[in-house]
Amino acid sequence: MNITEQISLLQVAFALLGCIPGSIGLRGTFAPQGDKQDTVKVDFEPPRLSLPGGICLAVGPTSSVVLATTYLDKRVRLGRGGRGSSFVFTRGGPCESAGMQDVGLARTSVLGYTILLTLAATFCAASFLLLSSGTVWSKVIAAPPALLGVAILFGLWLNIQFGTKSKR
């Protein structure tokens, strides 16, 4: 967690299928809670999934968490969540130069929308071709690509409808 001007930033990087770089980012605001000043409540915006090609999608609802700091020094902060989970936050390292100030701000580019729409159209076209072949097995096999295509289109619709709304 990077705490600057009462903004909380979290980012988890990953490699999808071991080779496609991506990340999930959370951006939120926090306010102190209690008298001891060791506890904060953080209100997060929806998490944003970022993938190559300018694809950046909101992938969940807003959330909030209460974090109590149990240990703090110049490099490490240990915390406990409201439901008992433990957190370890560090300063420095790759995080310092990773552009953390931009976490949660990216939006899907025109190229990203083009890639996702092309992918959805390909899945739907493949399903249509399988359905039109007439065999029972091809109709059964047509369901997963059709569902993927519809899921991508539904995800895009949700991001267009709700993903651009922000608490900022």
Side-chain angles (χ1 to χ4, degrees):
M1 184 172 348
N2 179 13
I3 299 175
T4 309
E5 300 176 17
Q6 299 202 327
I7 294 175
S8 177
L9 305 170
L10 298 168
Q11 185 173 35
V12 176
F14 60 85
L16 185 64
L17 303 174
C19 61
I20 301 171
S23 67
I24 299 270
L26 277 172
R27 182 179 201 85
T29 57
F30 71 90
Q33 290 218 319
D35 297 334
K36 294 169 66 174
Q37 297 297 316
D38 64 347
T39 303
V40 294
K41 180 180 182 207
V42 185
D43 293 312
F44 289 109
E45 295 176 4
R48 300 203 62 87
L49 169 68
S50 297
L51 295 169
I55 298 170
C56 186
L57 303 170
V59 292
T62 59
S63 60
S64 64
V65 65
V66 175
L67 298 172
T69 299
T70 57
Y71 174 80
L72 176 66
D73 66 20
K74 290 181 181 179
R75 177 132 164 71
V76 176
R77 174 189 303 262
L78 301 180
R80 180 148 324 266
R83 290 182 263 172
S85 54
S86 297
F87 298 91
V88 179
F89 301 109
T90 61
R91 294 182 186 186
C95 179
E96 292 293 320
S97 61
M100 287 295 288
Q101 69 277 7
D102 297 330
V103 168
L105 295 178
R107 300 296 182 253
T108 300
S109 68
V110 173
L111 174 62
Y113 280 116
T114 304
I115 290 169
L116 290 170
L117 286 172
T118 302
L119 194 58
T122 302
F123 283 132
C124 291
S127 292
F128 179 75
L129 290 173
L130 287 167
L131 284 171
S132 64
S133 72
T135 68
V136 173
W137 284 110
S138 65
K139 291 180 181 179
V140 171
I141 294 170
L147 291 173
L148 281 171
V150 169
I152 291 170
L153 292 173
F154 183 67
L156 285 172
W157 178 78
L158 285 177
N159 273 275
I160 290 169
Q161 293 296 313
F162 306 108
T164 57
K165 296 178 182 174
S166 175
K167 295 180 194 174
R168 288 186 300 281

